[in-house]
Amino acid sequence: MTMRKAVGVNIAISLCWIVYGLVFSNDAFASRLLPSANKECTICHVMWLADFEKSDVATLIPHDPMPVTESGKEDVSSTDLMCFSCHDGWTLDSREMWKEGNHNHPVGVEPSERVVLPTKDGEEIFPLNEDGKLYCGTCHTAHRVDWEDETGVFMSVRNPGSEICLYCHKKKTTGVKEGNHPVLEHPREMPLSLLAQGAKFSKEKGIICESCHNAHGAKANDLLVVNNKEGALCTACHADQGQLVGSKHDLTITSPKARTSAGEFIAESGPCSSCHQTHHAKGASLSPLAAGKSVDKLLGGCTHCHKKGGLAAKTQTGRHSHPVGVSVDKLAIDATAQNWIYGGGKGGARRDLKPLPLFTKAGVRAAKGGKIGCLTCHDPHSRPGGGLKDGDKRTSAKTAASSFLRMDNRRRSALCLNCHLEQASVVSTQHNLAISVSDKKEKNRLRVAQDGPCSGCHGAHNGKGPFVWSAPGQVNKESGSEFCLSCHTEKGLAGKHVVGQYSHPTDVPLKRGMKTKLPLAKVKGEKQMVCSTCHDPHRWSPGGGRAVDQENGVKEGDVDNSFLRLAASGESPLCAECHRSQGLVADTEHDLRITAPKAINHNKRSVRQTGVCGQCHSVHNADEAFGLWARGRWRSKDFMAEMCLDCHREDGVAKRKIPQKSDHPDRVTHWSDDIRRAAGKRVITEFPVFDRKGNRRRTGIISCLSCHDPHRWNANKRAKGPGRNTEGTVLNSFLRFGKTASFACADCHGLDSIYRYKFFHSKASRIDHPLYR
């Protein structure tokens, strides 16, 4: 007979003696009339019966007050057989929890190092058996029972909130900050599926240990109330994350042989365990892996897989990706966890946006403010595009409808424009490739149709360069205008709108003395003018108008739109923003809106179509490099004179102002101002000299622009013209000099220089004057 059976027989014999004593003993009869403590206690403590003290009575089986059981050496009254003498259905049927396949709190083991047994008044609250191991009596007791508290019946302590668990497992109760699932918080809805499996919650319906664990009769490992192999336990409360099951992030499908941080196969531990650990986690969101730098915590654990050598090595973010660790404040967004309000930006109206999660440096969702992290745009638990089909272990296509995005980014790029609201007008412009790309580029058109208008130029990850640039075509890494030129080339998507050989210079700093409020790009550590200095690629016109409508389709651009930051029509405020001294030409005789409103330049554009500056200068596709000249020219020796004489000739727009003598003798070579200064000569006003191609030189010929400033009517007044056609004098007429002290002409002409300067185009200055020679 085994020891276990011997103990059972011993208990059975003892119970027989109880019956014998009750029936045949006068003392027993008296005890029924006078209740005694011994009568109740002897139900378990059989040997306390007086009959066992008789010397002439012997039991069939020798009494062993301290038998050795499966859980170790312990008092006979606290063995599991003693418990089951009532819990076998005689008083209460508890056999279900012990059936094969169920899981119970371990007994017969010593407490681990992670468990600390509490004491009270120097005594252990949860005693161990004689071997120092856990046994039934560690947690259960028939003594100290508070019958008014149902949670504490036969428990060592009151247990309304799983206190009996928390006493020993303190390191699992410290909350999310220390890597544990929160307790006493309330789920959004009571999980009926768990309640049906025996899960318990506090009286206030808060989460307690027994909401997930069952000390006896648990259905799965770790004493879980339900098997979590397919995430059933987690998704019972976190139903909105349940879409992960069956998606690309369900590693039980895509990487079943991968192991969790605890060393378990993900296929066995369930889809949630690959990224979350209920207890003893190291990162935010109960991540099983600790993040390194603070910015890593904002990545939400994504880079543990999305990195070289990781489970998702094929979908890394790349060097050029959307920034993390930055605020949305600069985008005029006031953000809280519940509301995002756009503050208006450039004069726009306030409006509500969809609130997306922002995070603290620790990677925890911020109540107000916060920084952008991976999980701001991505919801790793969503199941976009229907996820994976049954039995399909391949991942779905990466589109704006998938990729675990929080908002559908197709057609109108809703996710991008939820933050970048000031760029929203791009949807109705030619820069939306779904509208403007030709049939020959159908691949790109379909890509934009799938991923949204923003994707035509930008990709949140793996861009070709800054601004997460992703437009097709080669990018010139040496150019600050590389982004525009990847499409605006002859073979590019915008091959019909190329800038040509002679266009406004880019990738250059502003000239000395120039100032502008227009944006400059930092290229190789230096602020330079680039395409986006004058153009806003997201806004069709300064007022934000539409470039596409149902009636006219795609409109052709002009000087009032064409993605310009300021209009170039009228007084050409865009040009005058940098070229401020040249902007004084407005309302003068050189403003063809006044003197020749019907004029047409070399590009067949009218004054109304070009603005004041565009009649003489072509920003793009000019015929000449010098001055980006747009009015045509003759083929004479002096290019500078040709520009002026294109108008000041018999069939020109200035035929009433043809000079009798137009050129200075070209045999004369003059010094430029920097040489004059080096020679100690005083310089009052700049006197430029040129070569025959119109380029400024240190020594060169005297040409029209040596004496005339074509953009300024009166050298003594820094102001625009009067707005009407007036007759000039020797004090204005676009003359460069207002003062003549230490005048450059005097180097050769002496005192006669002022006369020759003022009347240079007159016959009298050469023949009639007595000093002519």
Side-chain angles (χ1 to χ4, degrees):
M1 179 181 294
T2 64
M3 180 63 69
R4 188 179 184 88
K5 290 182 178 179
V7 174
V9 173
N10 189 16
I11 294 173
I13 294 173
S14 299
L15 290 174
C16 291
W17 276 106
I18 293 174
V19 175
Y20 171 83
L22 292 175
V23 176
F24 300 104
S25 169
N26 291 331
D27 292 339
F29 179 75
S31 68
R32 283 188 295 170
L33 298 177
L34 300 172
S36 69
N38 282 345
K39 178 183 176 183
E40 297 176 357
C41 296
T42 54
I43 293 176
C44 297
H45 297 281
V46 179
M47 299 308 296
W48 287 13
L49 287 171
D51 296 277
F52 283 100
E53 296 179 0
K54 296 179 181 180
S55 59
D56 58 341
V57 176
T59 59
L60 295 177
I61 300 174
H63 170 57
D64 185 357
M66 197 66 64
V68 177
T69 67
E70 291 181 355
S71 59
K73 190 175 182 181
E74 57 193 78
D75 193 289
V76 66
S77 60
S78 59
T79 61
D80 54 353
L81 287 175
M82 179 62 73
C83 298
F84 273 110
S85 65
C86 289
H87 285 273
D88 62 354
W90 177 261
T91 302
L92 182 69
D93 192 351
S94 302
R95 290 174 294 178
E96 174 68 20
M97 66 179 62
W98 299 95
K99 75 177 183 180
E100 186 177 353
N102 283 355
H103 300 263
N104 297 280
H105 193 289
V107 292
V109 295
E110 296 181 0
S112 70
E113 296 180 353
R114 293 182 294 180
V115 173
V116 179
L117 296 179
T119 60
K120 183 178 182 181
D121 299 330
E123 295 184 5
E124 291 182 344
I125 297 176
F126 304 108
L128 303 175
N129 65 14
E130 292 294 318
D131 299 327
K133 298 178 179 179
L134 298 171
Y135 74 113
C136 298
T138 300
C139 299
H140 298 280
T141 179
H143 313 118
R144 296 177 293 176
V145 175
D146 183 357
W147 292 99
E148 295 181 359
D149 180 14
E150 296 180 359
T151 66
V153 175
F154 298 117
M155 304 295 289
S156 297
V157 297
R158 294 179 71 252
N159 196 42
S162 296
E163 282 82 359
I164 198 165
C165 305
L166 304 180
Y167 266 111
C168 295
H169 300 284
K170 288 185 177 180
K171 292 183 179 180
K172 294 186 178 181
T173 66
T174 52
V176 176
K177 288 186 178 180
E178 296 189 27
N180 290 290
H181 192 288
V183 292
L184 301 181
E185 290 190 7
H186 299 271
R188 296 176 184 175
E189 297 181 2
M190 294 302 292
L192 299 179
S193 61
L194 296 187
L195 292 171
Q197 297 295 324
K200 298 178 180 178
F201 292 79
S202 69
K203 288 185 177 181
E204 294 78 19
K205 297 184 178 180
I207 297 171
I208 58 177
C209 299
E210 292 164 286
S211 301
C212 297
H213 301 282
N214 193 341
H216 299 300
K219 305 300 182 182
N221 292 331
D222 299 320
L223 303 182
L224 298 179
V225 295
V226 296
N227 193 315
N228 202 35
K229 185 176 181 179
E230 295 183 358
L233 177 64
C234 301
T235 57
C237 290
H238 303 280
D240 52 341
Q241 278 81 35
Q243 293 185 57
L244 174 139
V245 179
S247 74
K248 293 181 289 183
H249 280 173
D250 185 347
L251 299 190
T252 62
I253 297 175
T254 55
S255 299
K257 294 184 179 181
R259 292 181 182 269
T260 67
S261 60
E264 300 174 298
F265 283 112
I266 290 176
E268 296 297 325
S269 60
C272 303
S273 66
S274 57
C275 297
H276 304 286
Q277 186 170 308
T278 311
H279 299 297
H280 308 303
K282 298 178 181 179
S285 301
L286 301 182
S287 170
L289 300 174
K293 302 177 182 178
S294 60
V295 69
D296 292 335
K297 296 177 182 178
L298 291 167
L299 301 179
C302 301
T303 53
H304 293 309
C305 289
H306 294 276
K307 65 179 180 180
K308 186 177 181 179
L311 294 178
K314 293 182 179 180
T315 52
Q316 298 182 55
T317 58
R319 176 185 175 189
H320 298 290
S321 287
H322 193 290
V324 296
V326 296
S327 173
V328 295
D329 293 347
K330 294 182 179 180
L331 301 175
I333 297 174
D334 182 18
T336 66
Q338 291 74 33
N339 298 288
W340 275 27
I341 300 176
Y342 174 67
K346 298 178 180 178
R350 291 172 63 86
R351 58 177 290 185
D352 294 333
L353 305 174
K354 180 177 179 178
L356 300 174
L358 300 172
F359 302 89
T360 66
K361 291 182 179 180
V364 178
R365 184 163 184 176
K368 182 175 177 57
K371 308 293 183 182
I372 292 174
C374 293
L375 302 186
T376 299
C377 297
H378 294 282
D379 180 355
H381 303 99
S382 65
R383 191 177 184 180
L388 303 178
K389 297 180 180 179
D390 293 339
D392 185 1
K393 295 186 178 182
R394 296 171 300 173
T395 57
S396 57
K398 294 183 294 182
T399 68
S402 62
S403 303
F404 299 95
L405 296 178
R406 293 190 181 273
M407 298 175 66
D408 190 336
N409 211 36
R410 294 171 294 181
R411 202 169 72 85
R412 297 190 66 84
S413 291
L415 178 62
C416 301
L417 300 180
N418 192 66
C419 291
H420 302 282
L421 201 62
E422 293 184 4
Q423 284 75 35
S425 60
V426 73
V427 175
S428 298
T429 72
Q430 292 96 318
H431 281 174
N432 179 353
L433 301 189
I435 296 173
S436 58
V437 168
S438 66
D439 294 338
K440 294 180 180 180
K441 309 291 183 180
E442 188 67 21
K443 181 179 179 181
N444 293 295
R445 188 171 186 172
L446 289 175
R447 176 173 62 86
V448 174
Q450 287 179 337
D451 298 342
C454 298
S455 69
C457 296
H458 307 283
H461 303 300
N462 297 297
K464 298 179 180 179
F467 305 106
V468 284
W469 195 251
S470 66
Q474 297 297 319
V475 176
N476 179 8
K477 298 297 183 181
E478 300 299 319
S479 169
S481 298
E482 56 184 289
F483 311 113
C484 303
L485 298 178
S486 64
C487 286
H488 289 276
T489 58
E490 290 183 1
K491 295 183 179 181
L493 295 181
K496 294 181 179 180
H497 296 87
V498 297
V499 295
Q501 181 180 2
Y502 301 125
S503 291
H504 192 290
T506 58
D507 306 310
V508 294
L510 293 181
K511 291 183 178 180
R512 182 182 298 178
M514 276 189 177
K515 295 181 180 180
T516 182
K517 294 181 180 179
L518 297 174
L520 301 175
K522 200 168 187 178
V523 181
K524 296 182 179 180
E526 182 181 39
K527 286 187 176 182
Q528 296 184 356
M529 171 176 282
V530 294
C531 296
S532 59
T533 299
C534 297
H535 293 281
D536 181 344
H538 302 100
R539 187 183 294 264
W540 174 239
S541 65
R546 296 170 62 90
V548 181
D549 56 45
Q550 292 182 347
E551 293 185 5
N552 302 314
V554 179
K555 300 177 183 178
E556 187 62 32
D558 55 41
V559 288
D560 285 318
N561 42 58
S562 304
F563 298 100
L564 295 177
R565 294 188 181 274
L566 296 172
S569 60
E571 294 186 3
S572 301
L574 178 64
C575 305
E577 172 64 22
C578 294
H579 303 280
R580 297 185 181 182
S581 61
Q582 286 82 1
L584 299 177
V585 73
D587 293 333
T588 70
E589 278 76 353
H590 280 176
D591 183 346
L592 299 190
R593 297 177 305 163
I594 296 172
T595 54
K598 295 183 179 181
I600 300 294
N601 69 4
H602 196 251
N603 295 324
K604 309 299 182 183
R605 297 293 184 97
S606 67
V607 178
R608 186 188 61 79
Q609 291 175 313
T610 63
V612 60
C613 297
Q615 267 301 294
C616 295
H617 308 283
S618 182
V619 179
H620 299 304
N621 300 297
D623 290 333
E624 301 288 345
F626 185 82
L628 301 178
W629 195 242
R631 296 209 59 82
R633 66 184 183 90
W634 297 350
R635 297 294 171 183
S636 65
K637 295 184 296 182
D638 184 356
F639 174 76
M640 193 68 65
E642 288 183 12
M643 292 194 298
C644 299
L645 295 176
D646 182 72
C647 290
H648 293 278
R649 55 189 173 88
E650 291 184 357
D651 57 347
V653 295
K655 58 185 177 182
R656 295 182 181 180
K657 295 293 181 180
I658 301 175
Q660 296 181 22
K661 182 68 176 178
S662 61
D663 59 334
H664 191 281
D666 59 8
R667 64 179 181 275
V668 176
T669 300
H670 204 281
W671 292 347
S672 64
D673 292 324
D674 55 345
I675 295 181
R676 287 171 55 79
R677 290 188 184 95
K681 291 184 175 292
R682 187 181 178 195
V683 176
I684 299 298
T685 307
E686 181 183 17
F687 189 83
V689 292
F690 306 87
D691 63 16
R692 298 187 184 282
K693 294 182 180 180
N695 301 305
R696 288 198 178 194
R697 291 289 182 259
R698 300 189 71 198
T699 58
I701 63 173
I702 298 173
S703 187
C704 298
L705 297 192
S706 297
C707 297
H708 290 283
D709 181 346
H711 301 100
R712 188 171 179 176
W713 176 246
N714 191 330
N716 292 315
K717 295 180 180 180
R718 188 171 181 80
K720 298 177 182 178
R724 63 183 184 276
N725 193 355
T726 60
E727 185 63 30
T729 71
V730 293
L731 299 177
N732 45 47
S733 304
F734 299 103
L735 290 174
R736 189 177 291 277
F737 311 121
K739 299 179 180 179
T740 55
S742 299
F743 190 42
C745 297
D747 290 350
C748 296
H749 298 285
L751 296 177
D752 194 36
S753 61
I754 184 61
Y755 186 87
R756 292 180 177 274
Y757 168 66
K758 294 293 186 180
F759 300 97
F760 177 81
H761 297 297
S762 170
K763 180 180 178 182
S765 67
R766 291 171 170 76
I767 299 175
D768 296 340
H769 196 275
L771 295 181
Y772 173 77
R773 54 185 181 274

